[in-house]
Amino acid sequence: MPSTPSPLTALTPFLQEMIAQSPAYKDSEDVFACRATPHALRDLLLEDLTEQPATAQAVWEGIPKRLLPYCVNMNSPRFMGFGDTGADPVSLVAGIFAPWLSRT
């Protein structure tokens, strides 16, 4: 009898895609791909809730297209601000896996 994959196992392809797409953003020399006023960002990002829950994949598909272009890339050699988060690739990978190690 085939078993149903656990919710975590079902997320594996989504996690692999997210990890595969992320370096392109961090490797960019652009600090911002796009700039917008606060009101324009609000209008872009806020929308009515759907009647049905969204899948993790559907949520992720909106992030590279709608959110990342407006985020600050502190890894860019053109970034002149104070980097208060780690841009080191090893630190980023560790940050992804740290919550998985918690047993609470």
Side-chain angles (χ1 to χ4, degrees):
M1 172 190 272
S3 63
T4 303
S6 75
L8 292 177
T9 302
L11 286 175
T12 300
F14 157 70
L15 289 170
Q16 290 170 333
E17 182 180 334
M18 181 182 72
I19 291 167
Q21 289 183 17
S22 297
Y25 168 73
K26 293 304 284 182
D27 283 343
S28 171
E29 291 194 12
D30 294 330
V31 176
F32 294 97
C34 299
R35 297 298 296 254
T37 66
H39 288 96
L41 286 173
R42 179 200 61 208
D43 294 344
L44 175 71
L45 299 174
L46 293 181
E47 56 189 38
D48 292 334
L49 293 175
T50 60
E51 294 289 326
Q52 299 297 319
T55 64
Q57 181 70 29
V59 171
W60 170 252
E61 287 172 356
I63 290 174
K65 297 172 192 160
R66 295 180 69 193
L67 183 61
L68 279 183
Y70 299 97
C71 291
V72 177
N73 180 8
M74 289 188 245
N75 199 51
S76 167
R78 296 181 179 147
F79 180 70
M80 299 285 289
F82 174 73
D84 59 354
T85 61
D88 177 68
V90 176
S91 297
L92 293 171
V93 171
I96 292 169
F97 291 108
W100 294 92
L101 303 175
S102 175
R103 290 188 164 248
T104 58

